[in-house]
Amino acid sequence: MSREQVVVEQTRRAFQTGRSRPLNFRIQQLKKLQSFLQERQKDIVDAQKKDLSKNKYVTELFEMLILEAELKLAISRLAEWAAPRPVEKNLLTLTDEVYIWPEPLGVVLIIGPWNYPWCLTLLPLVGAIAAGNAAIIKPSEISLNSSKVMEEHLPQYLDKDLYPVVAGGVPETQELLKHKFDHIFYTGSTTVGKLVMEAAARHLTPVTLELGGKSPCYIDKNCDIATACRRITWGKFLNCGQTCIAPDYILCESVIQSRVLEEIKKCIKEFYTDNPKASDDYGCIINQRHFKRIVSLMEGSTVAFGGDVDESQRYIGPTVLKGVTGESRVMEEEIFGPLLPIITVDGVEDAIQFINNREKPLVLYVFSHDTKLIKRMIAGTSSGAVLANDCISHFVDSALPFGGVGYSGMGRYRGRHSFDQLSNLRSCLIKQLNLEVVNSMRYPPHTGRRLAWAQFFLLTQINVRRVGYVLIMLAGLTAFVVQKYLR
Amino acid sequence: MARQTLERAREAFVSGRARPLEFRLQQLHALQRMLTEKETEISTALKQDLNRSQYDTPLLELIGIENEIKLAIEKLSDWAAPRPVQKNLLTISDEVYIQPEPLGVVLIIGAWNYPWALTLLPLVGAIAAGNAAVVKPSELSECSSLLLRALLPRYLDKDLYPVVTGGVPETQELLRLRFDHIFYTGSSTVGKLVMEAAARHLTPVTLELGGKSPCYIDKNCDIRIACRRITWGKFVNCGQTCIAPDYILCEPCIQGQVVECIRQTLLEFYGADPKCSADYGRIVNQRHFNRIMSLMEGYTPVVGGQSDSSQCYIAPTVLKDVPPHSRLMQEEIFGPVLPIVAVSDMDDAIQFINEREKPLALYIFCSDKKAVKRMIEETTSGGVTVNDVMMHYTLSSLPFGGVGQSGTGCYHGKHTFDQLSHHRACLVRSLNMERVNTARYPPQDRRRARRVRMALKSPLIDTSKRTLIWAIVATILGVCLFIALLVILLMAAGLNCTCWYWRGFYN
């Protein structure tokens, strides 16, 4: 029996004991996860530095803070989320108890990515714990140091039978995917996403796939280009472009192309100094394979700015490409690196057509002062999310569901959406064993009259609240009349 | 052929004509007209397919579809409108909402047991959500399938909502193509194949599958009424209902009574010879007939057991003391055979249920509220109806769907609309107030990081109930203090018009 099989069986047995269900237990585990993040912060920061050259402020801002906020939200709202949710009744169920009961699914497999190994692996875990599930955490082996820290220290805080960490590479992941889970939560590439779903299909396991794609960024010629470019530059070169919601490429009219280029250059200098290689805030590419992949994407396009590389340090400088068309090499796949192509279009309609000729992206960015233009762009395209006049920040708002559509993913999470995604929302109808006479219209032998009654009861739409108001009004009127009469 | 149909549907979708609300409403009205005008033809087709009685057609299929259409028409503008989302301090001046959008082209693979309801209910949701849909009715309910192919294009847009008929080869051909969502109703075995095919294109799926829905009868409840309801649910459509109570769990001491009550109820519903009853159906085909008959091999029924292969007729049959590991208990029966399995008590029943795959529905007959609650909490299933069967299906505010092997996704009412829409998160900010963003930009240092940390962690950013209550209380206190201050100032100024009370006081 493989190691993975042992872990899966152990986790399932732990779930079946029922101890992950009580709300106090879930809150206690979430608080322990909070302690883990606070007490192990130094280890986490060091691991990130080794994996991706992230400095400690970047780690704090873009991984820890989001996790802390999510944990706080889950702890404060858990009772509300886990409570039975009453639903609207009809005439036949007027005297019954009708509600949706959120329950745990069972054992959830969480496969994390390497670009934000803490945030994107532990955010789903918060949802899994909050929903009362057990979870097997499989951090990405590519962010090796973070994976090691997780494997070594997480079991010291969380229940190690319910939330084991299984480290390893492709063979270990494939082995895990052979087994049956109650849900698989995968963050990563579209290619592997298909394999995950195929493996899940064999057991009819539902999946949440947070994938990627090329997120377009349209800049309207009449907007505040300086501010727009500042925000885009920040979003693009964060984590050296290795963010699933980084603006992948820019679409703008040719008349503003050089201005856009100037502004981006200015911002790069402001953020990362003249020598980004030496800047503490500029990261590096995760490994050689991705380094080579990104460098090869520059083929055939003109480097307008940057383009400097250093293989020994996996360094690719912030680069802007121009002379890029839809057929260029850099437009064939998600860049996931610090190359920012600028493609010229003839206006909004041309941009919409360009976007619609491609797979649905994870996020669409639009920069414009014109609300009508923004609405036109939203209505004319499809994407996981839309963010107008900024980059990345929609991820920070946990009230918004985060997820893709089409090749950019399926399912959604963050905040309450994680809880709902990793729960079984079970419909419950509690009737009584009386009023049997009402049921006679459904029993055979059928007659026209019985059917007529059935049609009446089933087709009459009753708004219970409105009936309530009418009754209250009638009661008030009656009281008034009675009181007058008594005088 | 399938590819051309899909391409036409996609072209029609891309043209944008399925999106306007008026169009969707018009199509829904047309669908409603089809069901009203062609009710007789539909009844005839069902009679040929499943020996469905003329009353069962509206009762079991048409009323349900009509309800869904009415609800969709009434609520469409609500459902399709942008849904505002709770803001926090960072997004307080922004527009934050979720916009439901069509997915594209949906493939709907219908089932044969309720060929109209289970094919058209998803279609109602698909149309309401602004999608195009390729409808593939089941070839096993052949007459209904052919009738649908003839009727639908006469009422609905034939490019947006084409009907593709055929058997396994045609379905496999469809599944090789790329859709934006696949809605499948049928068996778990085929469900796996559908999901595998969908995975190749990363197509999300809704799978309404089946399983063995257990039915627990507590010894202290009103057994006569319980058995009446169970009998109705089990033998309607000749047991060919995905949420039919598959088997009964009860204590041995009431087994005899349960059998007697079911026998009496059967007499009342279908008469002494159900074969002659207009209300009793038939098995859909020879293959399923043989399958169900073979499940009964080796058992002596206590009720029924008669069959007639030429008519695919199986009498309503009850078997008692069925062993838990018998073949009858291994697969979904989907027929008019009702096994009773003896359990020692409710805990035993809970264990029995949990040892098996998660069912589509769980039925509990018990008058003790606490016991019912415990049974619900200690088991899992797609849905639960207590003290009746199947009725959770009829309330469209409840999401209908399975879990585990019984399915994934849910539908009915607004849930269908939501299932067949993409919920696009929209955050519309403005290009000013750039100063607020400075703290997030590099070069990062301790001071900037601290500022961001403070902004993100400030309790003002927390819009939980506690903060709301705090804010309301603080506002009320503030207003009261302000009023008090005003009164004191007015009094101090000696204004005796403050209140006639004070005039009396001064005098």
Side-chain angles (χ1 to χ4, degrees):
Chain A
M1 200 154 60
S2 67
R3 177 183 74 121
E4 287 74 26
Q5 188 170 358
V6 170
V7 173
V8 174
E9 284 177 14
Q10 222 163 26
T11 312
R12 190 164 288 288
R13 272 198 301 272
F15 174 76
Q16 279 162 351
T17 63
R19 68 175 186 276
S20 64
R21 286 174 178 251
L23 294 193
N24 324 26
F25 179 84
R26 304 182 205 183
I27 291 179
Q28 180 219 49
Q29 292 295 303
L30 292 173
K31 287 193 168 145
K32 291 220 169 125
L33 191 54
Q34 271 177 326
S35 311
F36 167 77
L37 293 174
Q38 279 159 10
E39 291 168 20
R40 291 290 158 196
Q41 189 164 20
K42 186 166 179 312
D43 294 313
I44 293 171
V45 164
D46 288 341
Q48 290 274 60
K49 185 97 190 122
K50 288 184 203 148
D51 286 329
L52 285 154
S53 268
K54 272 191 211 172
N55 78 17
K56 74 169 178 188
Y57 303 112
V58 173
T59 299
E60 188 183 341
L61 279 183
F62 304 112
E63 301 231 40
M64 313 299 282
L65 272 183
I66 295 178
L67 270 169
E68 283 173 31
E70 188 91 341
L71 279 163
K72 252 180 85 175
L73 182 72
I75 291 171
S76 69
R77 296 291 187 94
L78 187 56
E80 194 190 308
W81 295 349
R85 305 172 188 183
V87 298
E88 212 176 272
K89 301 187 194 184
N90 63 13
L91 203 57
L92 277 183
T93 50
L94 218 48
T95 51
D96 305 324
E97 253 187 271
V98 197
Y99 56 91
I100 299 171
W101 170 250
E103 328 181 299
L105 284 167
V107 181
V108 178
L109 171 64
I110 299 172
I111 303 177
W114 51 260
N115 56 337
Y116 293 89
W118 293 94
C119 191
L120 301 183
T121 312
L122 296 185
L123 274 176
L125 179 62
V126 172
I129 298 175
N133 299 297
I136 294 182
I137 301 137
K138 161 67 189 69
S140 172
E141 72 284 11
I142 298 179
S143 48
L144 190 58
N145 298 285
S146 296
S147 169
K148 281 198 183 126
V149 171
M150 220 180 271
E151 191 185 4
E152 194 183 323
H153 293 294
L154 202 60
Q156 293 167 351
Y157 291 79
L158 296 185
D159 184 312
K160 57 180 172 16
D161 290 322
L162 281 171
Y163 316 110
V165 179
V166 176
V170 172
E172 286 79 7
T173 312
Q174 284 173 333
E175 182 60 36
L176 273 175
L177 286 170
K178 285 193 192 136
H179 299 285
K180 181 178 171 184
F181 293 92
D182 298 290
H183 197 101
I184 299 178
F185 195 113
Y186 169 75
T187 308
S189 73
T190 302
T191 323
V192 179
K194 286 185 187 173
L195 301 173
V196 170
M197 191 172 170
E198 266 174 59
R202 273 169 233 131
H203 297 286
L204 282 173
T205 301
V207 295
T208 305
L209 304 174
E210 298 285 330
L211 310 175
K214 296 181 76 60
S215 299
C217 182
Y218 177 72
I219 309 178
D220 177 29
K221 68 175 187 272
N222 296 320
C223 77
D224 174 0
I225 296 181
T227 308
C229 290
R230 230 159 161 242
R231 298 178 181 188
I232 295 169
T233 310
W234 168 70
K236 175 67 181 189
F237 299 107
L238 187 62
N239 204 24
C240 221
Q242 298 164 117
T243 310
C244 50
I245 45 174
D248 191 276
Y249 62 96
I250 289 178
L251 291 169
C252 67
E253 290 180 56
S254 51
V255 67
I256 56 165
Q257 196 188 194
S258 50
R259 174 90 200 279
V260 166
L261 192 51
E262 270 321 298
E263 292 295 336
I264 295 177
K265 260 203 285 198
K266 243 176 34 192
C267 292
I268 292 174
K269 287 213 167 81
E270 182 195 327
F271 294 165
Y272 306 114
T273 74
D274 282 316
N275 184 12
K277 201 166 169 187
S279 162
D280 202 26
D281 295 295
Y282 193 72
C284 67
I285 306 305
I286 184 74
N287 61 18
Q288 283 299 328
R289 181 169 74 86
H290 279 281
F291 174 88
K292 293 198 167 95
R293 178 187 66 81
I294 299 166
V295 168
S296 76
L297 289 179
M298 291 199 265
E299 270 166 44
S301 304
T302 316
V303 174
F305 177 82
D308 46 321
V309 304
D310 181 347
E311 193 167 335
S312 64
Q313 291 193 39
R314 303 193 311 274
Y315 166 82
I316 300 177
T319 302
V320 182
L321 301 171
K322 63 177 191 183
V324 180
T325 66
E327 286 72 41
S328 303
R329 177 88 182 78
V330 75
M331 292 304 290
E332 282 173 17
E333 56 178 87
E334 187 178 1
I335 298 168
F336 225 69
L339 309 180
L340 181 50
I342 305 181
I343 297 177
T344 51
V345 286
D346 291 325
V348 156
E349 296 304 324
D350 197 20
I352 290 175
Q353 202 179 4
F354 188 94
I355 294 167
N356 287 343
N357 283 340
R358 291 171 161 63
E359 293 296 338
K360 298 179 188 181
L362 189 49
V363 60
L364 166 67
Y365 295 113
V366 188
F367 285 83
S368 175
H369 292 299
D370 182 359
T371 325
K372 273 215 188 91
L373 187 149
I374 296 174
K375 299 278 184 222
R376 169 77 196 106
M377 196 121 210
I378 296 180
T381 58
S382 182
S383 61
V386 182
L387 177 41
N389 293 324
D390 202 358
C391 288
I392 317 269
S393 50
H394 65 295
F395 186 79
V396 178
D397 187 353
S398 64
L400 279 173
F402 183 84
V405 64
Y407 274 17
S408 53
M410 62 178 76
R412 62 253 189 101
Y413 75 125
R414 291 294 272 118
R416 187 190 170 138
H417 305 286
S418 301
F419 180 91
D420 285 351
Q421 183 88 163
L422 300 176
S423 297
N424 175 29
L425 297 172
R426 192 179 186 191
S427 298
C428 297
L429 171 58
I430 321 279
K431 298 186 80 83
Q432 304 299 323
L433 277 166
N434 50 21
L435 292 179
E436 180 63 357
V437 68
V438 178
N439 284 336
S440 54
M441 60 189 169
R442 75 189 191 196
Y443 296 146
H446 293 305
T447 62
R449 213 178 67 181
R450 281 188 176 183
L451 181 64
W453 276 111
Q455 271 166 325
F456 170 73
F457 273 97
L458 288 173
L459 288 175
T460 308
Q461 285 187 326
I462 187 147
N463 187 328
V464 179
R465 218 177 296 157
R466 226 176 274 164
V467 168
Y469 290 150
V470 168
L471 286 174
I472 290 173
M473 261 176 59
L474 278 174
L477 207 62
T478 315
F480 175 72
V481 167
V482 165
Q483 171 229 58
K484 263 207 119 166
Y485 180 68
L486 282 176
R487 281 221 195 134
Chain B
M1 225 289 272
R3 185 176 292 276
Q4 286 156 344
T5 310
L6 172 58
E7 274 168 14
R8 255 201 316 271
R10 193 167 288 289
E11 244 179 73
F13 174 76
V14 167
S15 75
R17 70 173 183 277
R19 294 184 89 129
L21 295 193
E22 300 76 40
F23 178 84
R24 305 183 206 183
L25 288 169
Q26 180 218 57
Q27 295 294 299
L28 291 172
H29 279 294
L31 189 60
Q32 177 59 62
R33 258 195 341 266
M34 180 186 96
L35 297 172
T36 318
E37 289 170 13
K38 299 295 172 186
E39 186 176 333
T40 320
E41 284 89 332
I42 294 173
S43 263
T44 314
L46 281 168
K47 179 119 190 101
Q48 287 166 332
D49 285 329
L50 291 153
N51 201 40
R52 191 73 73 69
S53 83
Q54 62 164 139
Y55 299 108
D56 267 338
T57 293
L59 191 64
L60 301 176
E61 302 225 37
L62 302 183
I63 291 179
I65 309 174
E66 195 180 326
N67 245 348
E68 289 280 309
I69 297 176
K70 264 173 78 169
L71 185 69
I73 289 173
E74 183 190 323
K75 300 284 186 129
L76 187 57
S77 48
D78 274 340
W79 294 351
R83 302 175 189 185
V85 145
Q86 201 173 46
K87 297 191 193 188
N88 59 28
L89 193 66
L90 284 182
T91 52
I92 207 147
S93 54
D94 306 326
E95 251 186 274
V96 196
Y97 60 94
I98 298 170
Q99 176 64 56
E101 306 184 324
L103 285 166
V105 185
V106 179
L107 171 62
I108 298 172
I109 303 176
W112 52 260
N113 54 338
Y114 294 88
W116 296 87
L118 300 183
T119 312
L120 296 184
L121 245 58
L123 179 61
V124 170
I127 297 174
N131 298 299
V134 174
V135 181
K136 162 70 186 65
S138 170
E139 70 282 13
L140 261 61
S141 47
E142 201 181 344
C143 302
S144 296
S145 164
L146 292 171
L147 183 60
L148 188 66
R149 187 178 69 179
L151 287 181
L152 213 63
R154 281 196 241 159
Y155 288 83
L156 299 187
D157 185 310
K158 58 182 175 7
D159 290 323
L160 281 171
Y161 317 110
V163 179
V164 174
T165 49
V168 172
E170 285 79 6
T171 312
Q172 284 174 332
E173 199 196 328
L174 277 171
L175 287 171
R176 276 193 280 272
L177 304 171
R178 185 176 171 189
F179 290 90
D180 298 291
H181 195 101
I182 298 179
F183 196 114
Y184 169 76
T185 308
S187 73
S188 301
T189 321
V190 179
K192 286 185 191 173
L193 300 174
V194 171
M195 192 172 169
E196 269 180 37
R200 273 171 231 128
H201 297 291
L202 280 173
T203 302
V205 295
T206 305
L207 305 172
E208 297 284 328
L209 310 175
K212 295 183 76 61
S213 299
C215 182
Y216 174 72
I217 308 178
D218 182 57
K219 67 175 188 272
N220 294 321
C221 74
D222 185 337
I223 297 182
R224 192 184 60 86
I225 296 185
C227 290
R228 267 190 113 210
R229 298 178 180 187
I230 294 170
T231 308
W232 166 72
K234 176 67 179 186
F235 299 106
V236 75
N237 206 30
C238 218
Q240 298 164 116
T241 310
C242 49
I243 42 171
D246 190 275
Y247 61 95
I248 288 178
L249 294 169
C250 68
E251 291 180 46
C253 55
I254 56 163
Q255 214 179 173
Q257 200 184 350
V258 166
V259 170
E260 242 342 276
C261 291
I262 295 177
R263 190 201 308 278
Q264 279 172 16
T265 312
L266 282 171
L267 200 58
E268 183 197 327
F269 288 176
Y270 304 114
D273 185 11
K275 201 172 178 184
C276 305
S277 162
D279 298 311
Y280 192 71
R282 297 288 183 269
I283 305 304
V284 70
N285 65 15
Q286 201 64 50
R287 181 170 75 85
H288 278 281
F289 174 87
N290 294 339
R291 179 186 65 78
I292 300 165
M293 290 306 296
S294 76
L295 286 177
M296 286 202 281
E297 265 167 37
Y299 295 101
T300 312
V302 288
V303 177
Q306 303 87 357
S307 61
D308 179 350
S309 144
S310 66
Q311 282 192 39
C312 286
Y313 165 79
I314 301 178
T317 303
V318 181
L319 305 166
K320 70 175 195 167
D321 291 317
V322 176
H325 302 292
S326 58
R327 231 195 99 208
L328 197 51
M329 293 303 292
Q330 300 306 315
E331 59 177 84
E332 188 177 1
I333 296 169
F334 225 68
V337 176
L338 181 52
I340 304 179
V341 177
V343 287
S344 51
D345 55 19
M346 186 180 258
D347 285 308
D348 196 19
I350 291 174
Q351 200 184 352
F352 188 95
I353 294 166
N354 288 341
E355 279 167 4
R356 287 158 174 71
E357 293 296 348
K358 299 176 186 183
L360 186 51
L362 170 64
Y363 301 114
I364 308 172
F365 286 85
C366 178
S367 311
D368 178 358
K369 275 196 173 154
K370 275 215 185 87
V372 164
K373 195 157 172 276
R374 188 165 72 85
M375 193 157 200
I376 294 178
E377 283 173 12
E378 293 182 19
T379 56
T380 185
S381 63
V384 183
T385 296
V386 175
N387 291 327
D388 206 340
V389 296
M390 316 211 297
M391 296 304 284
H392 62 288
Y393 180 91
T394 63
L395 189 57
S396 64
S397 53
L398 281 175
F400 180 79
V403 63
Q405 299 290 302
S406 54
T408 175
C410 62
Y411 73 127
H412 280 189
K414 183 178 179 182
H415 304 287
T416 326
F417 178 92
D418 284 346
Q419 184 89 167
L420 299 178
S421 298
H422 168 54
H423 297 270
R424 195 176 189 190
C426 299
L427 174 54
V428 182
R429 316 199 77 178
S430 80
L431 278 167
N432 48 25
M433 296 214 300
E434 180 62 358
R435 269 191 58 92
V436 178
N437 285 335
T438 330
R440 74 187 189 193
Y441 297 140
Q444 278 300 332
D445 58 24
R446 200 185 7 228
R447 216 180 57 201
R448 276 193 176 181
R450 196 170 62 204
R451 239 190 286 154
V452 176
R453 171 173 280 280
M454 275 178 60
L456 283 180
K457 289 182 85 172
S458 156
L460 286 176
I461 208 173
D462 166 30
T463 51
S464 70
K465 222 181 266 182
R466 204 170 46 159
T467 313
L468 182 68
I469 294 172
W470 170 92
I472 291 174
V473 167
T475 313
I476 293 174
L477 267 173
V479 169
C480 289
L481 281 172
F482 180 69
I483 293 175
L485 181 67
L486 268 180
V487 169
I488 293 172
L489 283 176
L490 284 170
M491 277 170 57
L495 287 172
N496 55 12
C497 65
T498 306
C499 179
W500 59 265
Y501 257 130
W502 294 109
R503 224 188 267 144
F505 181 74
Y506 289 143
N507 290 344

